[in-house]
Amino acid sequence: MICAPKLEDSVIVASNERGELTEDERSRIIEHLQKGTEMMVYQQRAERFTVQVIMETMQVALIGSRDRIVKVLDIFELKELRQWETFQDFQRFNESSTFRKIFGLSEKEVQQDSKTCFTIFYGSEFMLKSLSLNADSVEDAEKWLTGLELLRQETLAAHTPEIIESWLRKKMYIDNTKKNSITLKELKSLLPQMNITVPDGRFLEERFVEVGAKDYVLDFQQFHKFYDLLIFENQEVLLEEFEKGPAAFTISNTNRPESSVLPLSDFQNFLLYRQKETWAKNLNKVQELMTIFINDTMRKTDYPKFTIGEFLSFLFSKENSIWDEKFSEICPLDMNNPLSHYWINSSHNTYLTGDQMRSESSTEAYVRCLRLGCRCIELDCWNGRDEPVIYHGGTMTSKIKFKDAVKAINDHAFITSEYPVVLSIEEHCDTTQQKVIAQMLKDVFQDKLLTKPLDPEAKHLPSPNQLKGKIIIKHQKISESDHTDKQGNTAGKSKLNSFKNVFKKIGKPKENMVLEKEGELCIWDPIHMRFYKHDCVISDNKLYYSEEKEEDSPKEGSDLHLFEPWFHGRMAKGRITAKRLLHDFCKGRNGKDGTFLVRESDKFIRNYSISIWTRRRVQHYRIFWSSENGHASFFLTSKQCFPSMCALIEHYRQNLIEYDGLNLHLKNFLPRLNFVSHHQLGWFYSNLSQAKAEEYLLRIPRDGAFLIRQREEPDTFELSVRVEGVIKHYLIYRYNGKYVLADIYEFFRLEDMVSCFREQLFIGKIKLRYPVTPQLVERICMEDLLTCDGELYSEVHMVGQVPEDNPLGHQCKGVVDISKCNVARNAKYGRPLVVTLLNKENVKLIEFTCEILEQVEEWYQVVLNIIQSIIEKMENKTKIAVEMSDMVVYCQSIKKTLNTTFENYNCKEVRSFKDDDFTKKGNEVKPDCILEYNRIALSRVYPKGFRVDSSNFDPCPSWKLGCQMAALNFQTADKFMWLNSALFSLNGGTGYVLKPEWMRDPTKKKPSKQKIRIRVIAARHLPNSEHIISPFVKVELLPYTGARVDDYSFKTTFLNDNGLNPVWLGPRNPPKCFEVDEPDLAFLCFEVSEGDAFSDPKVLAQATFPVRGIRSGYRSVPLKNVFSENLELASLLVHVEHVEV
């Protein structure tokens, strides 16, 4: 059977329609491409090259001066052709005077000749490479667009012998130079690229003689024969497989690939009884199949015969694929069920090209996903400066315009599949920009946009056939009872007699201000990771809080020891390390008694230890610390206390220590290795740009965040501070041994400067409060990221600007609008009860507690009463623009808790869940309830927030529960994307796969269990990137439905230095029988990896198939790369047996 290409691979669309070509027209176009055309080629710069197709290798070549080939690309990797007006980069150059100058065209001419420009997109990864070209005439451009499309189709449909010949030509054309011969020396260099080693030079010389080479030079025919010998050399042993069992045949004299033959009748019996091919009863079809692999025209008769080399070539070919192509065909009748009866190919954060933290956002990511068959794509919409933008909020991912994204979606939505596309809009915009979004959707999609139900009275969703060519919006919708009343909210404004009087130091509030609660709260500082005390007032449904109150703390001098070289801070393994260091230091220098070091105690918080060398041994003593009325004390014995550690050390340098048997002075000290002050380690950067400094500071949402960095000029530094949300920079330079800040302040050390302005105001009301370290930035980024991946959002309400007429007056530091918050309480941070106020996206705004448990309970009740009162009046109100709401028909986003989400629903709703919602503790929902919901309505499962590397979750548990949309990161090449690609290869790659009958109808039963036996036999043409590989194969049945991993996977042995034609036979590679519990949702995954005793295995290739489409017999497994893109000629040979249960 001939394999058809994937649907997404078979479609290349230019902007104009091209009808069927006659053979004569085709020949003229291909001849034109072979001759070559001079064009302007745009890569990093614009240059003129001759662009030519090399038919022997099926490549496009760029040829420079002296006929030198400077670049080639395989037509096999070509994915799309796009003309100028549809390619954003060309539009940008169209507006550039530089571009017009390069081409020597006026602006009018550029507009008129836009059809002469086109872009080739190619590659084998998620993000494609591009080659942009400008032909001299529209006719030339059209010939190239048409011709390349034809050649791509022919390349995908080419039979295996043709692909082998093209592959051999590419190997012979060393350094992209057209050649008709190859020398022995060149062949030796070529063998590593062919992924094989040979025993020695004599082996090659003998093969040269066998193929009739003269003077150690091979022409192409001889090179082909050499390849046949080489590929056969290790695999002739495979022929023993067919000498036993049903339809056995014996082949004698098997030492050469052409030394024996397999007649038509034996091959037909092999297909019928070994391969279970019922079509092989038709002898004409068997003859046609054999003719494909016979390269001798004299044997292409009515009764053809295979050589044993041709027979083996067939076994490894895509024409003998393990996959039954009938499962890849579209079944139009299966597209008439309600939308909820399908698994739908879905993407998460579709705009991203990499991780969730720093990667680029791109409209091309939308194009790629749509062309890969994705039918549900995500748009994270945020307020932009002038118009909405898309990016992963709260991260450093780049932004793209919403308008550009929807234009790209419109251009490519229905190229691969004509069935509906769902736009999952994650809304973060205010209502003003939501209106802009709505208008853009209307303007771009026009009549494609579904804005009304097909049948308003229907109780089931329409079918994919009914929704062909439609764009469906997934978003929150305003219900009829949600319309906002015009009256202002006065919820929770009941006066509390006990709170009428405010602190006198605060000042008198406005006459009409309603005070609900006042007092002192301990507010959590997420930067310093501790509580600070604040004066607080709840008034008019808002929580106002003052600057943190001064606390009793040690005076500045008590921390001076941090800057001393004898202070070693916290040491790993405490006294053991101190003993070793002192012993080594003193023994090598004839150390004197009294040599010492001081370190933090590894047993007692805020206490220290002094380790002293005395009498050729190390003694350790505790230095105590205490604080009373803000004054610190340090002491060895309570009889003599010191205000600082430095004072204590200096005293005992001058006076004897008479304590616990000691009677000596402190003398020399062991200096700390590479001594740098404790503070400086955090906030000082020796190699940081100003731009990076600003990036760090902007990540810390607190005024007073600061760092100091070394500038390029000698003895100059820069203090960068966040002031009222803006980053300000101040010059520091050294002069006469001092550090001068802003030409005003002078300090002997940077540490002194920081210490000064951590205590005193630096600018306005700002102190140097938060030292910005890389660790702090990383922690804050991670915390932000974990809160920004929820599905359903309302308007964001962060800590607000402080109004002048607030009840705390000038002491007010911030305000939180309780009416726009959620509240939670639990034990955390070492306190029995902490109250947390969160915004509607569940991002923490403020966390507080009190010293007395009853008081924090009172504050919590006041806050809770306000919120509950607001909810009662606002439960039907939203922050959704009416224009957006009106576009939502069948995918109305509903937010409910998991345990209530499957109650009182209708077919127009869609629920969203994190990937672990169904498995985490506390989930009381039965699988049958979820299945029943998914028969009627839609659900979408998305990766939980901590997957910052864009890793994917296993979609199988979600699919098993009937969830239609398991949204994966398409840009990530992992095993779960392999499963996704395998599932949606069904039904023609349309992006819709009908769920099994038992999922759609509760009266139907699951199919019975099955067994399948797999044996890996051999491989050919395994990929190698840098060296000859030593491969092994792992086979898995996914998903695992039991506890024992060994029941669902096995590995072959690992073979040394052979990726061209390895063989796995013998007792060390036995077959494996898998029990398939759920045949409708089971996958067989073949994974080829490179073995390495010194590192983890590296995945080289894979192939993943739904078990339902696996064919029996000796089958080829065409391999793909980790991005599920086809690999040229790479395949496994396996034996498959479906075992009756």
Side-chain angles (χ1 to χ4, degrees):
M1 179 177 286
I2 310 302
C3 292
K6 292 192 301 183
L7 182 63
E8 67 94 9
D9 283 337
S10 66
V11 182
I12 298 181
V13 175
S15 60
N16 60 330
E17 295 292 328
R18 300 180 178 88
E20 290 293 324
L21 297 174
T22 65
E23 186 58 32
D24 185 59
E25 289 173 331
R26 177 198 172 279
S27 297
R28 288 202 300 271
I29 289 174
I30 301 304
E31 183 179 356
H32 181 80
L33 271 58
Q34 282 184 280
K35 287 181 179 178
T37 305
E38 190 169 306
M39 299 188 203
M40 186 68 78
V41 179
Y42 177 78
Q43 292 175 290
Q44 293 181 343
R45 57 179 182 174
E47 296 181 86
R48 286 191 75 82
F49 290 106
T50 298
V51 186
Q52 184 182 59
V53 165
I54 304 173
M55 290 296 292
E56 297 91 339
T57 58
M58 294 304 286
Q59 292 175 311
V60 177
L62 302 185
I63 303 173
S65 58
R66 301 179 183 176
D67 292 333
R68 184 174 62 89
I69 297 177
V70 297
K71 183 183 180 71
V72 295
L73 63 92
D74 289 341
I75 295 175
F76 175 80
E77 289 192 343
L78 201 156
K79 295 295 186 292
E80 180 194 356
L81 301 171
R82 204 182 304 172
Q83 281 191 310
W84 189 0
E85 57 265 24
T86 62
F87 186 40
Q88 186 176 346
D89 285 349
F90 270 132
Q91 290 176 338
R92 196 158 53 243
F93 292 124
N94 180 22
E95 298 163 3
S96 166
S97 59
T98 304
F99 182 77
R100 294 196 294 272
K101 184 177 180 180
I102 290 173
F103 287 90
L105 299 173
S106 67
E107 184 173 353
K108 183 176 181 181
E109 287 172 325
V110 169
Q111 294 290 346
Q112 290 173 342
D113 294 343
S114 61
K115 291 187 177 181
T116 64
C117 300
F118 62 97
T119 298
I120 301 171
F121 288 85
Y122 65 99
S124 57
E125 298 184 359
F126 176 74
M127 289 308 294
L128 299 176
K129 302 172 186 175
S130 63
L131 185 68
S132 299
L133 308 166
N134 179 30
D136 290 339
S137 68
V138 175
E139 182 182 5
D140 275 344
E142 287 296 323
K143 284 180 179 178
W144 274 90
L145 288 165
T146 304
L148 287 176
E149 183 176 356
L150 285 170
L151 292 176
R152 168 104 179 336
Q153 299 293 336
E154 291 175 9
T155 300
L156 290 171
H159 295 302
T160 299
E162 297 171 277
I163 299 171
I164 290 174
E165 183 163 334
S166 175
W167 182 81
L168 288 171
R169 287 282 185 187
K170 280 186 270 191
K171 297 301 178 187
M172 178 174 273
Y173 290 177
I174 298 170
D175 296 327
N176 296 326
T177 303
K178 284 181 143 184
K179 297 176 60 179
N180 293 315
S181 63
I182 186 170
T183 66
L184 177 60
K185 181 179 179 181
E186 290 170 337
L187 185 59
K188 287 180 179 178
S189 301
L190 180 62
L191 287 176
Q193 297 178 37
M194 297 174 72
N195 217 349
I196 193 170
T197 57
V198 296
D200 49 37
R202 186 176 176 183
F203 174 91
L204 292 179
E205 293 174 6
E206 290 174 354
R207 298 304 176 273
F208 266 52
V209 172
E210 280 189 64
V211 300
K214 294 181 181 180
D215 299 324
Y216 295 108
V217 177
L218 301 177
D219 62 25
F220 181 76
Q221 293 303 320
Q222 292 167 335
F223 182 52
H224 200 306
K225 288 181 180 179
F226 171 83
Y227 162 82
D228 291 338
L229 289 172
L230 189 65
I231 202 82
F232 182 78
E233 183 78 18
N234 194 44
Q235 294 187 336
E236 64 181 88
V237 66
L238 301 180
L239 297 170
E240 296 174 9
E241 287 282 317
F242 310 104
E243 295 179 357
K244 52 191 176 183
F249 50 85
T250 302
I251 303 174
S252 59
N253 189 24
T254 61
N255 61 335
R256 291 171 59 88
E258 74 280 2
S259 59
S260 188
V261 294
L262 183 70
L264 172 64
S265 57
D266 282 354
F267 184 62
Q268 183 182 32
N269 287 335
F270 168 79
L271 293 174
L272 285 169
Y273 301 110
R274 296 285 187 110
Q275 307 296 82
K276 312 296 183 185
E277 298 282 16
T278 56
W279 62 266
K281 294 176 182 178
N282 185 327
L283 195 61
N284 290 333
K285 290 186 177 181
V286 178
Q287 290 172 342
E288 290 174 11
L289 180 58
M290 293 184 74
T291 301
I292 292 170
F293 293 85
I294 294 174
N295 57 18
D296 181 2
T297 55
M298 299 297 292
R299 289 187 288 115
K300 292 184 178 182
T301 65
D302 290 340
Y303 295 92
K305 296 180 180 180
F306 265 159
T307 67
I308 52 177
E310 289 164 347
F311 175 64
L312 288 178
S313 182
F314 160 78
L315 289 179
F316 284 92
S317 71
K318 64 180 182 180
E319 288 82 359
N320 184 42
S321 174
I322 191 174
W323 180 244
D324 191 340
E325 286 296 331
K326 73 181 182 184
F327 287 92
S328 292
E329 297 170 1
I330 301 175
C331 183
L333 293 178
D334 280 348
M335 302 300 278
N336 290 324
N337 284 266
L339 215 58
S340 56
H341 287 189
Y342 296 84
W343 289 308
I344 302 172
N345 200 356
S346 303
S347 164
H348 172 254
N349 286 357
T350 313
Y351 49 89
L352 288 181
T353 60
D355 63 46
Q356 310 283 305
M357 196 74 177
R358 296 174 178 268
S359 67
E360 294 292 319
S361 303
S362 173
T363 57
E364 289 304 315
Y366 283 105
V367 174
R368 185 77 167 119
C369 287
L370 288 167
R371 285 181 169 265
L372 287 170
C374 185
R375 297 290 88 188
C376 177
I377 57 179
E378 185 176 23
L379 299 90
D380 284 8
C381 302
W382 296 79
N383 283 347
R385 186 182 298 275
D386 301 311
E387 61 183 288
V389 295
I390 292 175
Y391 81 114
H392 197 202
T395 70
M396 287 173 276
T397 56
S398 63
K399 300 175 183 178
I400 56 175
K401 293 180 179 180
F402 179 87
K403 175 175 60 180
D404 293 338
V406 294
K407 284 181 177 179
I409 293 166
N410 184 60
D411 291 337
H412 299 270
F414 303 108
I415 299 300
T416 297
S417 171
E418 62 185 339
Y419 295 100
V421 173
V422 178
L423 303 190
S424 179
I425 297 180
E426 189 172 331
E427 191 64 82
H428 305 268
C429 294
D430 57 29
T431 53
T432 301
Q433 293 213 359
Q434 284 185 44
K435 295 176 189 292
V436 176
I437 288 175
Q439 192 58 49
M440 287 178 179
L441 292 172
K442 290 178 182 177
D443 293 343
V444 173
F445 294 126
Q446 298 183 16
D447 59 353
K448 295 177 188 174
L449 190 65
L450 185 73
T451 57
K452 295 181 181 180
L454 302 186
D455 180 0
E457 303 302 318
K459 297 187 182 295
H460 294 279
L461 290 167
S463 70
N465 269 336
Q466 292 174 298
L467 294 168
K468 275 184 183 178
K470 289 296 182 183
I471 301 289
I472 301 172
I473 303 299
K474 173 183 170 289
H475 192 276
Q476 290 170 287
K477 186 175 181 66
I478 302 173
S479 66
E480 291 183 4
S481 59
D482 282 342
H483 295 289
T484 305
D485 61 57
K486 302 297 182 181
Q487 298 177 0
N489 174 49
T490 59
K493 291 188 178 179
S494 58
K495 292 189 178 182
L496 304 177
N497 292 331
S498 59
F499 304 125
K500 285 183 179 179
N501 297 318
V502 191
F503 291 143
K504 293 182 179 179
K505 63 179 179 180
I506 291 176
K508 188 176 180 180
K510 290 183 354 179
E511 290 295 325
N512 60 348
M513 186 168 286
V514 181
L515 302 179
E516 296 144 350
K517 181 71 175 171
E518 55 82 20
E520 186 180 83
L521 291 178
C522 300
I523 298 179
W524 179 253
D525 186 327
I527 309 299
H528 284 161
M529 302 292 288
R530 57 162 292 183
F531 286 100
Y532 286 102
K533 294 180 180 179
H534 300 252
D535 291 328
C536 298
V537 173
I538 294 179
S539 174
D540 293 335
N541 298 338
K542 293 180 176 64
L543 170 63
Y544 298 88
Y545 56 95
S546 70
E547 292 280 351
E548 57 268 23
K549 301 170 72 173
E550 294 291 335
E551 296 183 32
D552 291 339
S553 60
K555 300 300 181 183
E556 178 66 20
S558 66
D559 285 334
L560 288 177
H561 60 274
L562 298 174
F563 312 123
E564 295 296 337
W566 43 256
F567 182 71
H568 288 242
R570 182 170 292 276
M571 301 179 76
K573 298 183 180 179
R575 64 165 55 202
I576 296 175
T577 303
K579 179 179 179 181
R580 176 178 56 80
L581 290 175
L582 274 172
H583 184 272
D584 293 346
F585 181 77
C586 294
K587 184 178 180 182
R589 293 170 174 78
N590 295 317
K592 297 179 179 179
D593 286 356
T595 302
F596 72 98
L597 66 81
V598 180
R599 57 187 171 85
E600 290 185 27
S601 172
D602 48 6
K603 292 184 179 180
F604 304 100
I605 297 174
R606 204 64 163 107
N607 276 213
Y608 305 88
S609 293
I610 183 168
S611 301
I612 306 173
W613 176 266
T614 176
R615 299 172 187 170
R616 302 184 64 81
R617 59 184 293 191
V618 178
Q619 298 277 38
H620 308 277
Y621 300 94
R622 182 176 169 191
I623 299 176
F624 297 87
W625 172 90
S626 66
S627 178
E628 185 175 351
N629 298 324
H631 295 281
S633 295
F634 295 83
F635 54 92
L636 278 171
T637 69
S638 58
K639 295 179 181 179
Q640 196 160 15
C641 298
F642 304 91
S644 70
M645 177 81 74
C646 295
L648 181 148
I649 297 298
E650 189 59 31
H651 173 82
Y652 288 118
R653 280 180 154 178
Q654 305 297 326
N655 301 280
L656 286 173
I657 300 177
E658 296 176 328
Y659 170 68
D660 195 25
L662 277 180
N663 191 2
L664 51 72
H665 294 91
L666 294 180
K667 296 180 181 178
N668 297 336
F669 58 83
L670 171 61
R672 183 174 177 179
L673 184 64
N674 297 326
F675 174 71
V676 181
S677 82
H678 176 75
H679 291 300
Q680 186 169 328
L681 283 174
W683 44 256
F684 182 80
Y685 295 80
S686 60
N687 186 19
L688 189 73
S689 67
Q690 187 179 88
K692 200 68 178 177
E694 291 184 354
E695 179 186 320
Y696 276 19
L697 289 164
L698 287 171
R699 296 303 305 168
I700 310 303
R702 295 290 188 278
D703 285 344
F706 75 95
L707 60 83
I708 295 177
R709 67 182 188 89
Q710 177 88 50
R711 289 163 53 97
E712 292 183 3
E713 301 85 357
D715 288 333
T716 61
F717 308 86
E718 191 169 80
L719 169 64
S720 300
V721 189
R722 178 167 174 149
V723 180
E724 296 181 353
V726 177
I727 310 305
K728 296 188 177 183
H729 306 280
Y730 301 89
L731 178 65
I732 304 170
Y733 60 89
R734 293 198 69 178
Y735 181 73
N736 287 340
K738 294 183 179 180
Y739 293 90
V740 182
L741 170 63
D743 288 326
I744 301 174
Y745 306 102
E746 294 182 353
F747 301 90
F748 284 106
R749 299 184 303 176
L750 290 175
E751 296 94 325
D752 298 337
M753 179 188 302
V754 171
S755 297
C756 172
F757 291 115
R758 292 186 78 167
E759 295 297 321
Q760 302 177 23
L761 294 177
F762 175 66
I763 178 173
K765 293 184 178 182
I766 305 300
K767 299 177 182 178
L768 300 186
R769 180 160 177 75
Y770 300 106
V772 175
T773 67
Q775 295 78 12
L776 174 62
V777 173
E778 183 178 359
R779 174 169 65 84
I780 295 298
C781 288
M782 186 64 65
E783 290 173 356
D784 288 348
L785 186 63
L786 294 179
T787 60
C788 66
D789 206 21
E791 286 281 302
L792 304 173
Y793 285 80
S794 60
E795 186 178 352
V796 177
H797 302 293
M798 300 302 291
V799 176
Q801 296 296 320
V802 180
E804 292 184 1
D805 55 350
N806 71 83
L808 290 173
H810 67 276
Q811 293 191 10
C812 186
K813 178 181 179 181
V815 57
V816 179
D817 191 340
I818 300 172
S819 68
K820 298 175 181 177
C821 291
N822 298 321
V823 66
R825 59 173 177 172
N826 51 15
K828 60 195 307 188
Y829 309 136
R831 298 296 185 101
L833 186 62
V834 175
V835 178
T836 303
L837 289 177
L838 311 98
N839 65 12
K840 299 304 180 181
E841 290 75 50
N842 285 330
V843 177
K844 296 175 186 174
L845 297 182
I846 194 169
E847 295 178 283
F848 64 82
T849 187
C850 296
E851 298 293 350
I852 301 174
L853 185 63
E854 289 76 14
Q855 289 181 355
V856 71
E857 182 65 33
E858 291 176 6
W859 282 89
Y860 170 76
Q861 288 299 328
V862 173
V863 171
L864 185 63
N865 289 339
I866 292 172
I867 292 174
Q868 288 179 338
S869 182
I870 295 294
I871 290 173
E872 288 175 3
K873 293 205 171 192
M874 300 292 291
E875 61 183 356
N876 295 322
K877 297 179 182 181
T878 67
K879 292 293 182 180
I880 305 168
V882 174
E883 291 84 348
M884 278 301 303
S885 177
D886 290 344
M887 291 182 175
V888 183
V889 181
Y890 291 121
C891 290
Q892 302 173 13
S893 295
I894 304 296
K895 189 173 184 179
K896 287 189 177 182
T897 62
L898 183 64
N899 292 325
T900 61
T901 193
F902 304 109
E903 303 170 1
N904 302 322
Y905 54 83
N906 62 63
C907 68
K908 296 179 182 179
E909 298 176 1
V910 59
R911 309 288 165 85
S912 295
F913 308 101
K914 295 191 293 294
D915 61 74
D916 62 348
D917 276 351
F918 299 126
T919 56
K920 64 185 178 183
K921 292 182 180 179
N923 171 23
E924 301 174 357
V925 181
K926 296 180 179 179
D928 287 345
C929 295
I930 304 173
L931 271 171
E932 182 58 33
Y933 167 84
N934 283 320
R935 291 187 181 106
I936 304 298
L938 299 177
S939 60
R940 179 175 183 265
V941 182
Y942 62 96
K944 53 189 174 185
F946 77 82
R947 297 182 183 273
V948 295
D949 58 350
S950 290
S951 61
N952 285 308
F953 62 94
D954 184 355
C956 292
S958 301
W959 290 336
K960 185 178 176 181
L961 291 171
C963 298
Q964 297 82 3
M965 296 175 281
L968 301 184
N969 295 298
F970 273 48
Q971 72 274 25
T972 302
D974 58 19
K975 189 170 292 184
F976 302 127
M977 266 307 298
W978 303 349
L979 294 175
N980 194 74
S981 297
L983 177 66
F984 291 104
S985 66
L986 300 169
N987 199 28
T990 58
Y992 287 85
V993 173
L994 188 64
K995 291 187 281 191
E997 194 173 26
W998 65 269
M999 283 190 179
R1000 295 179 274 129
D1001 184 349
T1003 65
K1004 303 296 181 181
K1005 293 183 179 180
K1006 290 184 179 181
S1008 58
K1009 295 182 179 181
Q1010 299 177 5
K1011 286 188 177 180
I1012 186 170
R1013 183 178 287 117
I1014 304 292
R1015 180 160 58 101
V1016 177
I1017 300 173
R1020 282 189 178 182
H1021 294 281
L1022 297 179
N1024 69 325
S1025 54
E1026 300 172 355
H1027 55 267
I1028 301 171
I1029 64 169
S1030 299
F1032 69 93
V1033 180
K1034 179 181 179 181
V1035 183
E1036 286 184 284
L1037 179 71
L1038 299 171
Y1040 294 359
T1041 54
R1044 292 186 54 190
V1045 174
D1046 289 346
D1047 291 341
Y1048 299 93
S1049 68
F1050 74 96
K1051 295 178 183 178
T1052 68
T1053 54
F1054 137 110
L1055 297 179
N1056 284 322
D1057 299 334
N1058 188 351
L1060 181 66
N1061 57 353
V1063 173
W1064 292 278
L1065 288 177
R1068 295 181 63 197
N1069 292 288
K1072 175 77 173 182
C1073 189
F1074 293 114
E1075 184 168 295
V1076 184
D1077 294 327
E1078 295 184 12
D1080 292 316
L1081 197 56
F1083 301 86
L1084 203 59
C1085 177
F1086 299 86
E1087 184 175 310
V1088 180
S1089 299
E1090 178 180 11
D1092 187 340
F1094 302 101
S1095 60
D1096 292 334
K1098 177 184 178 182
V1099 178
L1100 301 170
Q1102 59 85 26
T1104 308
F1105 307 95
V1107 167
R1108 67 175 87 172
I1110 298 292
R1111 300 199 290 178
S1112 298
Y1114 292 90
R1115 294 295 179 181
S1116 165
V1117 180
L1119 294 172
K1120 303 173 183 290
N1121 69 6
V1122 292
F1123 289 94
S1124 295
E1125 293 290 340
N1126 293 328
L1127 292 169
E1128 198 172 40
L1129 293 175
S1131 64
L1132 301 175
L1133 179 63
V1134 301
H1135 183 260
V1136 181
E1137 182 181 2
H1138 291 278
V1139 183
E1140 291 185 6
V1141 178

